[in-house]
Amino acid sequence: VAEDYADSVSEENVNESICYSYIQALYDYAEDENVSCEYFLHDITKDGIPELWIKAGTCEADYTLMVYTYENGLYKTICEKPAGHSVFYKGSDYILQQYAHQGVATWIKLTYDGNMVMEKTIFEENTIGTDSDYKIPTEQKIELYTFNNEQPIKKAFGME
């Protein structure tokens, strides 16, 4: 019984540590009032701990996607890539980034290779000079939360 209690206390401490590390990461990006910062959570590493996916920048042209994971007591960056004019969709074991701007669209499949998030272009289209709209992925669109909405993070780690 004492061993079970020690395991649950340490798991609770780990969850609290991850939760507040992720919240701090969001506020670090949002310190500059000119930066827009949104996020979502998704467990791309399949270790039971959702990664923090942050989309931040001063305008659509310079948005960056940063992905953080928790490993051995620290959070580390496993992805940093351009994310302007992008919407994200949730696949079974991947995230789909749809970039669409001025009649050109690209779908990028983001997967985890055991160390970093990898990307592979899986679809491109050009609708310039046509009456066509961009194709919409069939995957579920991901809702992004504003940096100061801590509830999704707290809920994910049992801190509410």
Side-chain angles (χ1 to χ4, degrees), residues 100-121:
H101 183 59
Q102 295 185 337
V104 177
T106 304
W107 296 3
I108 302 164
K109 188 176 187 177
L110 304 173
T111 57
Y112 184 68
D113 74 353
N115 187 43
M116 297 295 290
V117 171
M118 304 302 291
E119 58 184 271
K120 179 180 180 183
T121 299

Short mmCIF file of all heavy atoms in Angstrom, two decimals, residues 100-121:
data_model
loop_
_atom_site.label_atom_id
_atom_site.label_comp_id
_atom_site.label_asym_id
_atom_site.label_seq_id
_atom_site.Cartn_x
_atom_site.Cartn_y
_atom_site.Cartn_z
N ALA A 100 -2.39 27.28 -46.69
CA ALA A 100 -3.15 27.77 -47.84
C ALA A 100 -3.05 29.29 -47.89
O ALA A 100 -3.37 29.97 -46.91
CB ALA A 100 -4.61 27.33 -47.75
N HIS A 101 -2.59 29.80 -49.04
CA HIS A 101 -2.43 31.24 -49.18
C HIS A 101 -2.37 31.61 -50.65
O HIS A 101 -1.63 31.00 -51.43
CB HIS A 101 -1.15 31.69 -48.46
CG HIS A 101 -0.92 33.16 -48.47
ND1 HIS A 101 -1.81 34.06 -47.93
CD2 HIS A 101 0.10 33.90 -48.94
CE1 HIS A 101 -1.34 35.28 -48.06
NE2 HIS A 101 -0.18 35.21 -48.69
N GLN A 102 -3.15 32.59 -51.03
CA GLN A 102 -3.16 33.17 -52.37
C GLN A 102 -3.27 32.12 -53.49
O GLN A 102 -2.56 32.17 -54.48
CB GLN A 102 -1.93 34.05 -52.58
CG GLN A 102 -1.93 35.25 -51.67
CD GLN A 102 -0.79 36.21 -51.95
OE1 GLN A 102 0.24 35.83 -52.51
NE2 GLN A 102 -0.96 37.45 -51.55
N GLY A 103 -4.19 31.16 -53.28
CA GLY A 103 -4.48 30.19 -54.34
C GLY A 103 -3.60 28.95 -54.35
O GLY A 103 -3.77 28.08 -55.20
N VAL A 104 -2.67 28.85 -53.43
CA VAL A 104 -1.79 27.68 -53.38
C VAL A 104 -1.96 27.02 -52.01
O VAL A 104 -2.00 27.70 -50.99
CB VAL A 104 -0.32 28.08 -53.59
CG1 VAL A 104 0.61 26.89 -53.45
CG2 VAL A 104 -0.14 28.74 -54.95
N ALA A 105 -2.07 25.69 -52.00
CA ALA A 105 -2.22 24.95 -50.74
C ALA A 105 -1.29 23.75 -50.72
O ALA A 105 -1.01 23.14 -51.76
CB ALA A 105 -3.66 24.49 -50.55
N THR A 106 -0.82 23.45 -49.52
CA THR A 106 0.03 22.28 -49.29
C THR A 106 -0.43 21.61 -48.01
O THR A 106 -0.70 22.30 -47.02
CB THR A 106 1.51 22.71 -49.14
OG1 THR A 106 1.91 23.44 -50.30
CG2 THR A 106 2.42 21.51 -48.95
N TRP A 107 -0.51 20.30 -48.04
CA TRP A 107 -0.82 19.53 -46.84
C TRP A 107 0.46 18.84 -46.41
O TRP A 107 1.10 18.13 -47.19
CB TRP A 107 -1.88 18.49 -47.09
CG TRP A 107 -3.24 19.04 -47.47
CD1 TRP A 107 -3.59 20.34 -47.67
CD2 TRP A 107 -4.41 18.28 -47.72
NE1 TRP A 107 -4.91 20.44 -48.03
CE2 TRP A 107 -5.44 19.18 -48.08
CE3 TRP A 107 -4.69 16.92 -47.69
CZ2 TRP A 107 -6.72 18.76 -48.38
CZ3 TRP A 107 -5.97 16.51 -48.01
CH2 TRP A 107 -6.98 17.42 -48.34
N ILE A 108 0.82 19.03 -45.15
CA ILE A 108 2.05 18.44 -44.61
C ILE A 108 1.69 17.51 -43.46
O ILE A 108 1.06 17.94 -42.48
CB ILE A 108 3.01 19.55 -44.13
CG1 ILE A 108 3.33 20.50 -45.29
CG2 ILE A 108 4.28 18.95 -43.53
CD1 ILE A 108 3.94 21.81 -44.86
N LYS A 109 2.08 16.27 -43.59
CA LYS A 109 1.82 15.27 -42.55
C LYS A 109 2.97 15.31 -41.55
O LYS A 109 4.13 15.13 -41.91
CB LYS A 109 1.72 13.88 -43.19
CG LYS A 109 1.27 12.81 -42.25
CD LYS A 109 1.10 11.49 -43.02
CE LYS A 109 0.50 10.42 -42.17
NZ LYS A 109 0.26 9.18 -42.94
N LEU A 110 2.63 15.57 -40.27
CA LEU A 110 3.62 15.65 -39.20
C LEU A 110 3.54 14.38 -38.36
O LEU A 110 2.48 14.06 -37.82
CB LEU A 110 3.36 16.88 -38.32
CG LEU A 110 3.32 18.22 -39.06
CD1 LEU A 110 2.89 19.34 -38.12
CD2 LEU A 110 4.66 18.53 -39.68
N THR A 111 4.64 13.64 -38.30
CA THR A 111 4.71 12.39 -37.54
C THR A 111 5.92 12.46 -36.61
O THR A 111 6.77 13.34 -36.74
CB THR A 111 4.85 11.17 -38.47
OG1 THR A 111 6.01 11.34 -39.29
CG2 THR A 111 3.61 11.01 -39.35
N TYR A 112 5.99 11.50 -35.71
CA TYR A 112 7.09 11.45 -34.74
C TYR A 112 7.97 10.26 -35.04
O TYR A 112 7.49 9.14 -35.20
CB TYR A 112 6.52 11.37 -33.32
CG TYR A 112 7.55 11.43 -32.24
CD1 TYR A 112 8.28 12.59 -32.00
CD2 TYR A 112 7.81 10.32 -31.44
CE1 TYR A 112 9.22 12.66 -30.99
CE2 TYR A 112 8.76 10.38 -30.42
CZ TYR A 112 9.46 11.55 -30.21
OH TYR A 112 10.40 11.61 -29.21
N ASP A 113 9.29 10.47 -35.12
CA ASP A 113 10.23 9.39 -35.46
C ASP A 113 10.96 8.81 -34.24
O ASP A 113 11.92 8.06 -34.39
CB ASP A 113 11.24 9.87 -36.50
CG ASP A 113 12.30 10.82 -35.93
OD1 ASP A 113 12.19 11.23 -34.75
OD2 ASP A 113 13.23 11.15 -36.67
N GLY A 114 10.50 9.15 -33.04
CA GLY A 114 11.17 8.68 -31.83
C GLY A 114 12.09 9.73 -31.23
O GLY A 114 12.56 9.59 -30.10
N ASN A 115 12.36 10.79 -32.01
CA ASN A 115 13.22 11.86 -31.53
C ASN A 115 12.68 13.25 -31.87
O ASN A 115 12.72 14.14 -31.04
CB ASN A 115 14.64 11.69 -32.11
CG ASN A 115 15.63 12.66 -31.53
OD1 ASN A 115 15.65 12.89 -30.33
ND2 ASN A 115 16.44 13.24 -32.38
N MET A 116 12.21 13.41 -33.09
CA MET A 116 11.73 14.71 -33.57
C MET A 116 10.44 14.52 -34.38
O MET A 116 10.15 13.43 -34.85
CB MET A 116 12.77 15.38 -34.48
CG MET A 116 14.10 15.70 -33.81
SD MET A 116 13.98 16.94 -32.52
CE MET A 116 13.64 18.41 -33.44
N VAL A 117 9.71 15.61 -34.57
CA VAL A 117 8.57 15.61 -35.47
C VAL A 117 9.11 15.75 -36.89
O VAL A 117 9.91 16.64 -37.19
CB VAL A 117 7.60 16.77 -35.14
CG1 VAL A 117 6.52 16.90 -36.21
CG2 VAL A 117 6.97 16.56 -33.76
N MET A 118 8.69 14.83 -37.74
CA MET A 118 9.12 14.82 -39.14
C MET A 118 7.97 15.32 -40.00
O MET A 118 6.80 15.18 -39.63
CB MET A 118 9.51 13.40 -39.56
CG MET A 118 10.59 12.77 -38.67
SD MET A 118 12.11 13.72 -38.61
CE MET A 118 12.71 13.49 -40.25
N GLU A 119 8.29 15.87 -41.16
CA GLU A 119 7.24 16.36 -42.04
C GLU A 119 7.38 15.78 -43.44
O GLU A 119 8.49 15.54 -43.92
CB GLU A 119 7.22 17.88 -42.08
CG GLU A 119 8.51 18.55 -42.53
CD GLU A 119 8.41 20.06 -42.45
OE1 GLU A 119 7.99 20.67 -43.45
OE2 GLU A 119 8.77 20.61 -41.41
N LYS A 120 6.22 15.55 -44.06
CA LYS A 120 6.19 15.02 -45.42
C LYS A 120 5.01 15.66 -46.15
O LYS A 120 3.88 15.60 -45.68
CB LYS A 120 6.02 13.50 -45.40
CG LYS A 120 5.96 12.89 -46.78
CD LYS A 120 5.79 11.39 -46.71
CE LYS A 120 5.73 10.83 -48.12
NZ LYS A 120 5.50 9.38 -48.12
N THR A 121 5.29 16.30 -47.28
CA THR A 121 4.24 16.89 -48.09
C THR A 121 3.45 15.76 -48.74
O THR A 121 4.04 14.89 -49.39
CB THR A 121 4.82 17.83 -49.16
OG1 THR A 121 5.53 18.89 -48.49
CG2 THR A 121 3.74 18.42 -50.04
#
